[in-house]
Amino acid sequence: MTEPRMMPHTQAEDLRLDEVVARARGGEHAWAATSLARRRELLRELAAKVAEHSAEWVQTAARIKQLPADSPLVGEEWISGPWSVINYAQALADTLRLLDQGSDPLAGYGIKTAPGGRTRIEVLPHGIFDKLLLNGFRAEVWTVPGVDEAQLRAEAGLAQRDPATTHGAALVLGAGNLFSIAPLDVLHQLFACNRAVVLKLNPITDPLLDVFEKIFASFIDLGVVGIITGGAETGAALAQHAGITTVHMTGGQATHDAIVWGVGQAGADARAAGAPQLTKPITSELGGVGPVIVVPGTWSKADLRFQAEHVATQRLHNSGFNCVAAQVVVVSSDWPQKGEFVEALRTALAQAPARPGWYPGCETRVSGARALHPAAEAVGGTPERTLLPGLDATDTAESAFTTEYFGPVLGLVELPGAGADFLDAAVTFANERLYGTLGANIVVHPSTAARLGPHLDQSVADLRYGTVGINAWTGVGYLTPRATWGAFPGHTLQDVQSGIGVVHNALLLDRTERTVVRGPFRPAPRSLLNGELALSPKPAWFVTNRTAATTGRLLTAFSARPRWTALPAIFASALRG
């Protein structure tokens, strides 16, 4: 990502920013006086408004991303847009209901121990409809070491345990790639942190301003949310505004560092001196280089095809413009089926539906990656979907390990070994050689997982990533409202990597370390025929799903108004995908 260029402010612009910040600081008092019961009502109102304006949201998003209105890929906008926001608002409302009743917000959730003195809470499936619609998918939130069940329960609720005590006004710098990020980040600041919010949209998302103002209308009327447009200079001025107490951003490291340290030589000098120009707290989600660890096993041809589509989806979803997109596939050089899998992956990348590189700078990043890798393979699409085979795991100068390409570029690394030995080597490689800690994926055959036994869980614990997916893309963690989303804890302003802090987290859990998501190795009905108790067909977020748009629209309507009579149409669409 390029470093943002800051332009001088005008007096009129300063007045505009003063007004929006002053309104938020005034709204903070109204928020402190808002009961938990009324806050639940506001969340229900927001969910209803998202449903009401969902078609407008998705149509606008499709135009931004240059997708034809009838493309199945529009399903990505339904699922990662209105569907995810409705689910999160409802999950937050459930937590507030229990807190308002004086009940344990974790009542009914499975809580167990995890390796290393951690505690895990099962957050997916939640309720009968999750079990039906996401059958075979599971998610857990793991705490940091040393937190037991009693502490987990005692601390759940975060700032909503004392709603009358607010914590200033947050600036949320919205992302430009995935259009639910900004609304979800606003809700997290409101409820997890108990702050009023000024949302500065990324200019790419300015066409969604009207939709966002409609869905947040009740919060805007209360004065606790303000939405503003502008470029990098507007964001920088707001971050430094005296009325803003904290900043949260989603984007690239260059943008983060420009905000924290400044730009040009002054920024470099401030960083060298350890003297940030931003002296207020900042949290962030900044992406990174995501690995997919393919554990060798004995796979059928159908398994090879399906998992190749799975990995291709992890790279090509949203044209590759996801912070948690897979970038480096790690396979065993000793796996007899390595060649078959790599060929299936080439085919999956080539045959995925055509789509534009709509995010600014894509062609430059792709051509730059290709220029640095003479063995790069063009596998189709415009801009070129690119495979980088034969990457050297020991090469400390390898750009694919340190640069988030943010586009359709996928690297291949080979490590020797099988079973636990290969998995250990792959975990070490991911931890020590790849930049960032947002998400890591493991693909493993059920019989291989059974042989690994507890070692698989230990490998998950050893991976230093904020979300770990086992036979499920880590993007499922983003879509799970009660899961946490963010980098592995421990980064600093000097070495921010994938960011600081977490978002989402509708159960309002404290001292969390990661989310772990698990899915079926095969889609139904092959899952059932091979002994996996999972009914899910090809997931709607797969780029090869032919009915994703219909399924996404039906899921969104269902989430807004769950009812048994809507299920047959959803199942029928999902099965046709």
Side-chain angles (χ1 to χ4, degrees):
M1 308 295 286
T2 57
E3 185 177 273
R5 179 169 173 250
M6 304 299 179
M7 301 294 290
H9 250 43
T10 65
Q11 184 176 10
E13 178 70 356
D14 287 337
L15 288 172
R16 181 174 78 110
L17 303 191
D18 287 344
E19 289 174 3
V20 72
V21 173
R23 179 167 170 78
R25 293 311 299 259
E28 182 189 358
H29 300 292
W31 192 235
T34 303
S35 67
L36 288 176
R38 176 57 185 150
R39 293 182 186 200
R40 292 200 317 277
E41 290 176 1
L42 289 168
L43 285 166
R44 288 195 291 266
E45 290 170 14
L46 179 137
K49 288 171 183 173
V50 172
E52 179 184 354
H53 300 291
S54 60
E56 181 184 358
W57 176 335
V58 170
Q59 290 163 7
T60 305
R63 286 195 296 271
I64 293 171
K65 297 185 179 183
Q66 303 166 34
L67 293 173
D70 60 351
S71 171
L73 294 171
V74 174
E76 294 179 1
E77 302 312 310
W78 282 105
I79 292 168
S80 66
W83 185 63
S84 61
V85 174
I86 291 170
N87 288 338
Y88 182 60
Q90 291 175 335
L92 269 177
D94 285 345
T95 298
L96 265 61
R97 174 180 57 82
L98 292 168
L99 289 170
D100 195 26
Q101 294 171 349
S103 303
D104 176 6
L106 306 187
Y109 289 86
I111 300 178
K112 302 177 182 178
T113 59
R118 299 169 172 90
T119 297
R120 66 178 109 192
I121 177 168
E122 299 169 351
V123 298
L124 181 76
H126 178 73
I128 185 62
F129 291 132
D130 273 358
K131 292 176 182 177
L132 291 171
L133 295 171
L134 295 168
N135 191 272
F137 287 89
R138 293 177 290 146
E140 306 163 340
V141 175
W142 292 19
T143 68
V144 297
V147 176
D148 61 21
E149 180 178 344
Q151 292 170 305
L152 183 67
R153 292 185 184 277
E155 296 168 354
L158 295 179
Q160 295 306 301
R161 286 189 168 274
D162 183 14
T165 301
T166 54
H167 302 281
L171 168 65
V172 169
L173 297 172
N177 62 323
L178 207 64
F179 300 151
S180 61
I181 293 176
L184 292 174
D185 289 351
V186 168
L187 290 173
H188 184 268
Q189 289 295 324
L190 281 165
F191 290 91
C193 307
N194 220 29
R195 298 183 180 115
V197 183
V198 175
L199 167 62
K200 205 287 287 183
L201 295 179
N202 184 297
I204 292 172
T205 66
D206 283 356
L208 284 163
L209 172 63
D210 186 52
V211 172
F212 289 164
E213 287 181 335
K214 289 174 182 175
I215 67 176
F216 278 105
S218 298
F219 292 91
I220 293 171
D221 290 345
L222 190 60
V224 296
V225 171
I227 307 178
I228 193 168
T229 60
E233 66 281 359
T234 300
L238 282 168
Q240 294 291 347
H241 196 288
I244 293 293
T245 52
T246 189
V247 178
H248 177 80
M249 64 157 292
T250 301
Q253 181 193 339
T255 302
H256 171 273
D257 289 351
I259 292 168
V260 171
W261 305 105
V263 297
Q265 189 58 48
D269 293 344
R271 184 169 189 150
Q277 294 187 20
L278 185 74
T279 57
K280 60 194 67 174
I282 180 171
T283 54
S284 53
E285 192 264 84
L286 305 176
V289 176
V292 183
I293 298 170
V294 181
V295 183
T298 303
W299 296 10
S300 70
K301 291 188 180 299
D303 295 338
L304 291 164
R305 287 193 301 270
F306 178 76
Q307 290 300 339
E309 288 185 32
H310 191 188
V311 175
T313 288
Q314 295 175 34
R315 177 71 268 181
L316 298 181
H317 184 279
N318 196 27
S319 297
F321 307 131
N322 288 330
C323 293
V324 77
Q327 183 162 307
V328 175
V329 181
V330 186
V331 297
S332 170
S333 57
D334 298 324
W335 185 23
Q337 293 181 287
K338 176 195 69 178
E340 289 181 85
F341 174 73
V342 173
E343 189 55 39
L345 181 57
R346 284 191 182 95
T347 300
L349 290 168
Q351 294 183 352
R355 62 196 307 169
W358 62 272
Y359 199 89
C362 176
E363 292 192 12
T364 300
R365 292 189 295 275
V366 172
S367 62
R370 290 172 62 82
L372 291 171
H373 298 88
E377 300 177 15
V379 294
T382 303
E384 291 283 9
R385 296 170 188 165
T386 299
L387 194 64
L388 307 178
L391 299 179
D392 182 356
T394 65
D395 184 358
T396 57
E398 175 52 66
S399 64
F401 302 160
T402 58
T403 302
E404 182 186 7
Y405 288 138
F406 215 63
V409 179
L410 187 63
L412 281 170
V413 168
E414 295 184 18
L415 298 174
D421 291 339
F422 169 80
L423 186 54
D424 289 347
V427 168
T428 299
F429 167 78
N431 283 341
E432 296 182 0
R433 295 292 298 112
L434 301 184
Y435 187 84
T437 63
L438 187 60
N441 306 274
I442 299 173
V443 179
V444 57
H445 191 285
S447 62
T448 306
R451 286 194 297 273
L452 287 167
H455 195 92
L456 181 58
D457 237 17
Q458 184 59 54
S459 296
V460 171
D462 291 341
L463 278 164
R464 296 193 294 270
Y465 286 82
T467 300
V468 178
I470 304 170
N471 295 335
W473 179 32
T474 46
V476 178
Y478 175 90
L479 295 172
T480 301
R482 293 171 176 85
T484 55
W485 183 253
F488 193 79
H491 299 316
T492 64
L493 295 181
Q494 286 279 10
D495 183 21
V496 72
Q497 299 229 6
S498 290
I500 297 170
V502 298
V503 291
H504 302 182
N505 188 21
L507 290 175
L508 304 179
L509 304 171
D510 198 14
R511 293 193 284 171
T512 60
E513 182 182 70
R514 74 184 78 209
T515 286
V516 180
V517 295
R518 305 171 196 265
F521 182 74
R522 307 175 182 91
R526 284 199 308 112
S527 54
L528 297 172
L529 296 173
N530 287 275
E532 285 186 273
L533 298 179
L535 298 175
S536 291
K538 179 187 292 186
W541 52 85
F542 267 43
V543 294
T544 50
N545 190 300
R546 295 169 297 183
T547 60
T550 300
T551 303
R553 175 176 54 80
L554 293 172
L555 283 171
T556 300
F558 177 84
S559 293
R561 192 167 69 89
R563 56 208 184 280
W564 290 97
T565 55
L567 292 177
I570 297 174
F571 292 150
S573 179
L575 288 169
R576 290 195 304 271

